[in-house]
Amino acid sequence: DETMDAVVAERLRSSVKDRAENLMIVDLLRNDLSRVCEGGSVHVPRLMQIESFATVHQLVSTIRGTLDRSKLNAIDAIAACFPGGSMTGAPKIRSVDILNEMEMGSSRGPYSGCLGYVSLNGCADMNILIRSAVVTPSLESESIGDGDGYGGDGVGESGRLLFWNVSIGAGGAITALSDSEDEFDEMMLKARAVKDSVQEWSLSSSSSTLKGGSGDQS
């Protein structure tokens, strides 16, 4: 429904909570980049613009700066900006400490980390990992018959079944204006496309078994 889609996009564009969250992230990134960029080069060419995708609308801002290559390189830029302010909130270091306490030290794995490359010529392209699935194979023993030998394919009379453990990472930012139910619904919406893809893949993998469902992380 294009009309409803436009209403949803406009609701996001005018949301006081989402705009405040976006502005906080912009300020964090401007501060991070100013530590490694040439003076006066950090700027915001796009502020809180709507970008629409197949399953979600995004409120997007672009922050740019010119790296001070006389003293610094791509590694310094990554170090200055990591962890990403969109995943931590502010103040960054204290927020990470609080998150670690709330999550009882449980590792998020790749989710909310960084994925990309650093080239030998100094170029780099990095991305914060969100709305992602980590799929890990797991072999588990299962008694199939009376024998205990294994065939040439690794599965014998007392064989091992291949399972896939799947963890899906998705979350949302909590601010003073947040509503807990709205935040939960937003997290589930963000995870839906990944979940649907994993479910479709699992149904098509007739020789394997998907185990454990998904573990949403926020």
Side-chain angles (χ1 to χ4, degrees), residues 150-179:
Y150 287 88
D153 59 357
V155 179
E157 293 299 324
S158 180
R160 308 181 77 189
L161 297 181
L162 175 63
F163 291 87
W164 296 97
N165 295 306
V166 179
S167 174
I168 294 177
I174 306 299
T175 74
L177 300 175
S178 292
D179 176 85

Side-chain angles (χ1 to χ4, degrees), residues 35-215:
R35 296 161 54 194
V36 292
C37 289
E38 296 176 358
S41 70
V42 177
H43 61 290
V44 183
R46 296 178 68 233
L47 182 64
M48 301 186 197
Q49 300 296 306
I50 293 292
E51 289 188 4
S52 299
F53 302 90
T55 60
V56 68
H57 298 291
Q58 290 277 80
L59 194 62
V60 178
S61 295
T62 302
I63 305 92
R64 291 178 176 164
T66 303
L67 183 66
D68 185 357
R69 292 188 177 274
S70 65
K71 298 178 291 186
L72 304 166
N73 56 34
I75 301 298
D76 297 305
I78 295 170
C81 296
F82 190 85
S86 61
M87 306 302 295
T88 65
K92 185 183 286 190
I93 302 302
R94 179 56 185 147
S95 296
V96 170
D97 290 338
I98 293 173
L99 287 170
N100 189 55
E101 292 171 5
M102 294 179 65
E103 296 172 6
M104 297 179 289
S106 177
S107 173
R108 292 186 176 190
Y111 171 71
S112 76
C114 207
L115 178 67
Y117 71 85
V118 178
S119 176
L120 291 176
N121 66 4
C123 294
D125 191 3
M126 311 299 292
N127 193 1
I128 294 177
L129 219 59
I130 60 173
R131 302 174 201 177
S132 53
V134 177
V135 183
T136 309
S138 174
L139 287 173
E140 295 193 4
S141 298
E142 178 171 288
S143 179
I144 298 176
D146 296 333
D148 58 1
Y150 287 88
D153 59 357
V155 179
E157 293 299 324
S158 180
R160 308 181 77 189
L161 297 181
L162 175 63
F163 291 87
W164 296 97
N165 295 306
V166 179
S167 174
I168 294 177
I174 306 299
T175 74
L177 300 175
S178 292
D179 176 85
S180 58
E181 291 187 4
D182 288 345
E183 293 294 346
F184 180 80
D185 290 342
E186 178 184 339
M187 180 184 71
M188 298 305 293
L189 175 63
K190 290 176 177 177
R192 186 174 65 189
V194 182
K195 282 185 174 182
D196 290 347
S197 297
V198 170
Q199 186 66 30
E200 182 179 348
W201 165 76
S202 68
L203 292 175
S204 66
S205 302
S206 58
S207 62
S208 303
T209 301
L210 184 68
K211 180 182 180 182
S214 63

